[in-house]
Amino acid sequence: MNSNTLEYAKTLDQQDLLASYREEFYLPLEKIYMDGNSLGLLSKRAEKKLFELLDAWKTLAIDGWTEGTHPWFYMAEQIGGRMAPLVGGKKSEVIATGSTTTNLHQMISTFYRPSKKRMKILADELNFPSDIYALQSQIRVQGLDPEEHLIRVKSEDGLTLDENQIINAMTEDVALIVLPSVLYRSGQVLDMKMLTQAARERDIPIGFDLSHSVGSVTHALHDWDVDFAFWCTYKHLNGGPGSVGGLFVNERHFGIEAGLAGWFGSDKMKQFDMNHRMTPATDAGAYQIGTPHILSLAPLLGSLEMFEELGMEGIREKSLKLTSFMLSCIEDELSAYSFGIGNPLDDTRGGHLLLQHKEAARICQALKAQGVVPDFRAPDGIRLAPVALYNSFEDVWQTVQILKKIMQEDLYKQFPNERGVVA
């Protein structure tokens, strides 16, 4: 059987052990959703849990903090413990709190301790801008100059990073390392184990932004001896827009005072003593700051059930099969249309693909008009993310066929080659 036909795609769907989970989600009507690496879809379980928490607020009022099925006072720890297997951490090492950038600020404030010898932070030039903004601002807080004290490892191709070059940049003047686990444009998965081992050998704390890998790629943060990590939950974890982020702190660091203190970082039994001398929690909970956003945590209670049922290994296996099938279809159908492939072709890619084209912005608009939801990344990137929990192999096949039609019939030319306010 030809491996890039609709018939073959349907065969793959029939063999797919995760296929039934597609019915768990609200799929956009008459659309193929390929943007789960930006915002995951709403599941029926997440919706149910949100309504349950709304009902607890309605019926219990303030007693919802300590009563009901999911007492709010303990939800951050409860959900953190359930996310722990997704990142390879112990339950005590993971907490659901804050946002990606807030959590990064917390980690920099905690682990960045510049000295006369070590004053610099090591990052990379392909990192997501928000992370760089946070690093720059924290360097300024220390009275230092980001132009001098923030090292950004260069990319030779503008798409990927060489881990050996990162290791070579781990010099004696580096006080902290912050890197992405998966590059947000190209989808390259960095070798976190190797990078952490190199950092350990040089006695430099290292942390990772898992926003584009959690729920899509397997991790072993505790076993790799990573110092810290942080992530959002609205992409592959399907927690909803603005859902509460996650934080991992290696148990080796329990007891280190949080750089940014707030009362929800207290020992739960001491928090309401209202003492002006804080008694911090003895686990990752110590790095919380403010009151948990309960209604933004609620959907995760439902969404995480599916990850617990399936395990990350099965999800990762299907994700790689989906992107591999899409790459094969692209090679067969789009070779005449000047597309470049910006992501790794082997298993060092995450859960999305990057197509490059000089007309990318208008092609993305044409895809939307034809019923496919992609993601544009300046200057020339089209990100496509077939998500294991709700996308099918037929979705992948149809997406490539629609893209081929757009190019054959010049349908993209009716749109301006510029991004919208939100790409």
Side-chain angles (χ1 to χ4, degrees), residues 9-10 12-28 30-42 216 235-236 238 306 310 314-315 317-323 325-326 351-353 371-374 383-400:
K10 289 182 176 180
L12 291 175
D13 284 329
Q14 291 170 358
Q15 298 170 349
D16 177 20
L17 298 178
L18 278 62
S20 63
Y21 282 82
R22 181 178 172 89
E23 303 303 317
E24 297 270 4
F25 289 85
Y26 291 104
L27 302 172
E30 299 181 358
K31 292 183 183 295
I32 301 173
Y33 194 72
M34 286 284 160
D35 201 10
N37 61 323
S38 293
L39 178 67
L41 293 178
L42 173 65
S216 175
K235 300 180 186 294
H236 293 284
N238 311 305
M306 291 177 273
L310 292 168
I315 291 171
E317 181 181 356
K318 181 182 175 182
S319 175
L320 286 171
K321 286 181 179 178
L322 282 167
T323 51
F325 180 55
M326 180 170 269
H352 70 270
L353 300 180
V372 175
V373 182
R383 293 196 307 184
L384 298 169
V387 174
L389 287 179
Y390 51 75
N391 280 122
S392 65
F393 290 91
E394 184 173 346
D395 282 345
V396 167
W397 187 87
Q398 294 285 4
T399 295
V400 176

Side-chain angles (χ1 to χ4, degrees), residues 76 83 95-108 128 130-131 134 138 178 208-212 214 228-235 237 240-249 260 287-294 296-297 300:
M83 282 196 288
I95 190 76
T97 187
S99 66
T100 309
T101 307
T102 302
N103 290 338
L104 173 54
H105 274 291
Q106 174 67 291
M107 292 295 93
I108 306 170
F128 195 76
S130 186
D131 287 7
Q138 289 283 340
V178 179
F208 293 94
D209 182 343
L210 308 185
S211 292
H212 287 84
V214 67
F228 64 90
F230 54 99
W231 57 91
C232 66
T233 60
Y234 48 76
K235 300 180 186 294
L237 293 187
S243 55
V244 174
L247 189 62
F248 164 89
V249 179
L260 301 174
Y287 301 93
Q288 296 178 85
I289 300 173
T291 305
H293 299 165
I294 299 303
S296 293
L297 280 169
L300 287 167

Side-chain angles (χ1 to χ4, degrees), residues 55-247:
D55 188 67
W57 179 21
K58 179 171 65 177
T59 58
L60 297 173
I62 197 167
D63 288 334
W65 283 104
T66 54
E67 298 177 15
T69 306
H70 301 288
W72 309 333
F73 195 52
Y74 307 101
M75 270 186 65
E77 287 79 10
Q78 177 190 358
I79 292 175
R82 293 175 63 184
M83 282 196 288
L86 305 183
V87 300
K90 294 184 177 182
K91 289 184 177 181
S92 60
E93 294 176 319
V94 180
I95 190 76
T97 187
S99 66
T100 309
T101 307
T102 302
N103 290 338
L104 173 54
H105 274 291
Q106 174 67 291
M107 292 295 93
I108 306 170
S109 296
T110 302
F111 288 97
Y112 181 43
R113 294 287 184 260
S115 64
K116 184 172 287 189
K117 179 182 178 182
R118 295 181 181 269
M119 303 179 74
K120 295 182 179 180
I121 297 178
L122 175 62
D124 67 277
E125 69 171 357
L126 300 182
N127 208 332
F128 195 76
S130 186
D131 287 7
I132 298 299
Y133 302 159
L135 294 171
Q136 290 170 332
S137 69
Q138 289 283 340
I139 288 172
R140 284 193 292 267
V141 165
Q142 296 287 345
L144 302 174
D145 182 0
E147 292 300 317
E148 180 182 353
H149 295 98
L150 178 60
I151 303 169
R152 276 172 277 185
V153 176
K154 300 293 183 183
S155 166
E156 293 184 357
D157 59 6
L159 293 167
T160 59
L161 296 169
D162 183 336
E163 285 96 343
N164 290 314
Q165 289 186 11
I166 296 173
I167 292 171
N168 289 339
M170 296 180 186
T171 51
E172 292 183 352
D173 54 355
V174 172
L176 181 67
I177 304 168
V178 179
L179 297 166
S181 56
V182 168
L183 304 192
Y184 78 97
R185 293 189 77 247
S186 71
Q188 178 193 9
V189 181
L190 294 183
D191 190 334
M192 290 173 275
K193 180 179 181 180
M194 180 177 78
L195 292 168
T196 301
Q197 181 178 346
R200 289 277 67 74
E201 291 169 355
R202 293 157 177 80
D203 198 28
I204 308 171
I206 185 168
F208 293 94
D209 182 343
L210 308 185
S211 292
H212 287 84
S213 63
V214 67
S216 175
V217 173
T218 55
H219 307 79
L221 298 185
H222 179 83
D223 290 345
W224 295 336
D225 207 20
V226 171
D227 291 290
F228 64 90
F230 54 99
W231 57 91
C232 66
T233 60
Y234 48 76
K235 300 180 186 294
H236 293 284
L237 293 187
N238 311 305
S243 55
V244 174
L247 189 62

